[in-house]
Amino acid sequence: MGLSQEDLSERSGVSPSSIARLETGKGNISLLNLLSLLKELDLLNELQLIFRDPNLSLALLAKSKTKKPRQRVRKQKKISPNETKEWIWGKQNE
């Protein structure tokens, strides 16, 4: 972006040593400093790519990745011989 570490440090309020550590990957940087740097570099929107959608729950995410919906396991209902006959109201079959 054509900025030196000193220029970026003045614009963001982050010390030049913190910027140098971030560039080399040696040491840690606070989240506040990272956000300040990303804002100055106009990269704050890129941070959204790292995090998932907060409105999407883990349960919904798991359901969306399954091939078919899960079903409860139920015992097969055994039909007694009397249940297979058609039921007739009253004394119509006499």
Side-chain angles (χ1 to χ4, degrees):
M1 300 192 92
L3 288 174
S4 66
Q5 288 180 355
E6 290 79 21
D7 292 338
L8 184 58
S9 173
E10 289 175 13
R11 293 170 109 184
S12 65
V14 178
S15 69
S17 61
S18 292
I19 295 172
R21 285 193 311 268
L22 179 65
E23 281 188 345
T24 59
K26 298 179 180 180
N28 296 324
I29 187 169
S30 71
L31 182 59
L32 184 60
N33 285 346
L34 178 63
L35 292 175
S36 297
L37 291 172
L38 291 175
K39 183 178 177 185
E40 282 304 315
L41 295 172
D42 198 28
L43 295 173
L44 200 53
N45 290 334
E46 302 297 320
L47 193 59
Q48 291 177 345
L49 298 174
I50 297 173
F51 298 103
R52 289 192 176 134
D53 183 6
N55 297 323
L56 186 63
S57 70
L58 293 177
L60 289 175
L61 184 63
K63 282 183 182 178
S64 69
K65 292 191 177 194
T66 58
K67 293 182 181 177
K68 60 181 181 178
R70 296 175 63 183
Q71 295 181 351
R72 290 182 148 190
V73 177
R74 295 184 180 156
K75 293 180 182 179
Q76 291 289 332
K77 184 178 178 182
K78 293 183 180 181
I79 300 174
S80 67
N82 294 336
E83 290 183 31
T84 57
K85 295 180 183 177
E86 185 177 330
W87 186 81
I88 300 173
W89 183 266
K91 297 182 180 183
Q92 292 178 359
N93 57 348
E94 288 182 3

